[in-house]
């Protein structure tokens, strides 16, 4: 069984209690509440903002992904950009697009996504056109295109700490995963360290074991390593990190190779958590995070996450994990979306601190 882990945010900083109240106050005063029918395309800089991305003039394939509205593109892009793996993910500075490397049918390539009207525009470079359907299905999960914002808002708006946040961002989405194995490795690297530290480790992992593109584009240089590349790798030595964490990545790679259905949908959240905590080095936080993003279970909740506990501090101190778990009963079946709202508020507070 995995050890206990508390998530990728070991930093200590002030909480964001005012954000909830401020959002509700703006609504009462008739202020803006991000209720646009179109997809919001305002941008938030992140760690992956780097040199301009210079793609070929004509992509191999383009298509549109419809989304339920409202859709908060700015928030999901900011989340992905902040956690972007160097070499694998990138975004234009001040631009609207998100881009990443992929490998499909043994062929590496790049995809770029940006908002457009009431959907997302996708461009594929270097990939077989026959992969377009698979790409679309995976991107719908990554960008949570099919979530029901009205149902989520109705569920979460009864919680005082969430009502203002939901009103501010009614189209907030729960980021999924392009590659579930990649997301699982990211979660392991993020155990008990800051987001920035986890990103640095992921970049080193990619540089050491990933596949380099024949023609890099800007900061996009590598494809994330497959399980076979990591199952016998000395990850701890290459990344200069605790051996237990390197062993956990090896164990996850071994599990993925042994069980092609490791990241298949689970009958229940409890079954998913048991599936992952049976892997060496995977504790409750990591299992819940994988269930949330890779398996897209909307009720997943990494209870001990420092960012969640900090975001709920309204001046009387952070709640205990047990108190959070009890409080979150009212958020079912959308506890993962509640967590996303709290993370977004917590990160907004960090930018103004």
């Amino acid at each position: 069984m995995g050890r206990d882990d508390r998530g990728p945010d070991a930093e200590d900083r002030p909480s964001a209690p005012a954000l909830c109240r401020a959002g509700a106050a703006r609504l009462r005063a008739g202020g803006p509440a991000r209720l646009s029918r179109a997809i919001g395309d305002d941008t938030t800089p992140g760690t992956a903002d780097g040199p301009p991305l210079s793609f070929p003039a004509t992509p191999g394939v383009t298509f549109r992904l419809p989304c339920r509205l409202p859709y908060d593109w700015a928030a999901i892009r900011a989340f992905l950009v902040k956690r972007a793996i160097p070499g694998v993910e990138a975004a234009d500075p001040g631009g609207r697009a998100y881009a990443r490397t992929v490998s499909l049918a043994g062929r590496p390539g790049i995809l770029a996504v940006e908002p457009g009207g009431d959907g997302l525009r996708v461009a594929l470079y270097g990939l077989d056109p026959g992969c377009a359907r698979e790409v679309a299905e995976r991107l719908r999960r990554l960008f949570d295109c099919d979530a029901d914002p009205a149902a989520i808002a109705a569920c979460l708006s009864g919680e005082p700490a969430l009502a203002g946040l939901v009103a501010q961002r009614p189209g907030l989405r729960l980021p999924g995963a392009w590659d579930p194995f990649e997301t699982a490795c990211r979660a392991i690297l993020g155990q008990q360290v800051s987001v920035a530290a986890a990103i640095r480790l992921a970049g080193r992992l990619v540089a050491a074991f990933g596949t380099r593109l024949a023609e890099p584009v800007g900061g996009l240089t590598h494809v994330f390593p497959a399980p076979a590349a990591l199952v016998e790798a000395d990850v701890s030595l290459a990344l200069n990190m605790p051996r237990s964490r390197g062993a956990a990545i090896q164990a996850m790679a071994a599990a993925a190779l042994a069980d092609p259905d490791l990241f298949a949908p689970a009958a229940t959240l409890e079954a998913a958590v048991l599936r992952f905590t049976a892997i060496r080095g995977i504790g409750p936080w990591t299992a819940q995070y994988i269930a949330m993003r890779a398996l897209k279970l909307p009720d997943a909740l990494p209870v001990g996450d420092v960012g969640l506990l900090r975001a709920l501090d309204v001046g009387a101190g952070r709640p205990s994990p047990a108190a959070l778990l009890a409080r979150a009963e009212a958020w079912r079946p959308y506890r993962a979306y509640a967590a996303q709202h709290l993370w977004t508020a917590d990160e907004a507070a960090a930018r103004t601190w």
Side-chain angles (χ1 to χ4, degrees):
M1 300 291 286
R3 63 175 176 81
D4 187 28
D5 46 6
R6 298 193 305 144
D9 197 348
E11 313 169 53
D12 201 6
R13 59 177 184 262
S15 62
L19 290 176
C20 305
R21 297 191 293 271
R26 276 196 294 274
L27 283 179
R28 290 194 295 271
R34 297 179 180 270
L35 293 175
S36 171
R37 290 184 175 274
I39 291 180
D41 60 0
D42 52 319
T43 59
T44 303
T47 57
D49 286 319
L53 299 172
S54 179
F55 295 111
T58 304
V61 179
T62 60
F63 58 87
R64 175 180 163 276
L65 283 179
C67 302
R68 286 192 179 189
L69 300 180
Y71 188 97
D72 195 334
W73 168 256
I76 197 166
R77 179 186 182 273
F79 182 92
L80 294 172
V81 167
K82 179 175 180 179
R83 293 158 179 80
I85 300 175
V88 174
E89 299 168 285
D92 270 325
R96 303 189 304 166
Y98 162 86
R100 65 160 295 139
T101 63
V102 299
S103 180
L104 293 168
R107 185 171 170 178
I110 293 172
L111 60 82
V113 184
E114 64 180 354
D118 60 352
L120 302 177
R121 293 196 297 264
V122 181
L124 308 183
Y125 300 90
L127 295 169
D128 186 335
C131 293
R133 182 182 295 274
E134 179 185 351
V135 171
E137 292 174 355
R138 292 171 71 165
L139 287 180
R140 295 198 71 80
R141 292 171 61 82
L142 172 60
F143 290 103
D144 204 17
C145 295
D146 300 316
D148 186 342
I152 295 165
C155 174
L156 301 182
S157 293
E159 160 68 71
L162 294 172
L165 301 181
V166 173
Q168 281 184 290
R169 292 195 175 277
L172 189 73
R173 290 306 206 266
L174 180 67
W178 168 261
D179 175 4
F181 175 70
E182 175 188 304
T183 298
C185 290
R186 294 158 64 118
I188 293 168
L189 293 173
Q191 290 173 354
Q192 299 185 335
V193 299
S194 69
V195 171
I199 291 169
R200 288 193 295 271
L201 291 171
R204 292 175 194 164
L205 183 76
V206 167
F209 304 107
T211 301
R212 185 170 181 81
L213 296 182
E215 297 182 8
V217 174
L220 299 173
T221 59
H222 289 74
V223 174
F224 193 86
L230 297 177
V231 68
E232 295 184 0
D234 194 338
V235 176
S236 298
L237 179 63
L239 274 59
N240 190 27
M241 68 179 189
R243 297 202 65 83
S244 60
R245 206 172 303 164
I249 288 181
Q250 288 181 294
M252 182 63 72
L257 291 171
D259 182 5
D261 294 325
L262 180 64
F263 298 104
T268 64
L269 173 60
E270 293 73 20
V273 170
L274 286 174
R275 179 192 303 175
F276 293 114
T277 53
I279 299 171
R280 178 183 179 186
I282 305 302
W285 180 90
T286 307
Q288 290 278 353
Y289 190 82
I290 295 171
M292 175 188 289
R293 290 198 57 194
L295 271 61
K296 296 293 292 180
L297 293 178
D299 208 34
L301 183 68
V303 175
D305 186 86
V306 175
L308 296 184
L309 301 176
R310 180 174 52 226
L312 288 168
D313 179 359
V314 294
R318 300 174 189 176
S320 67
L324 170 58
L325 189 61
R327 184 173 180 175
E329 280 298 307
W331 307 344
R332 288 183 180 274
Y334 295 115
R335 296 188 305 177
Y337 288 89
Q340 192 64 36
H341 273 290
L342 292 168
W343 277 330
T344 302
D346 185 60
E347 292 179 2
R351 289 195 296 270
T352 60
W353 180 43

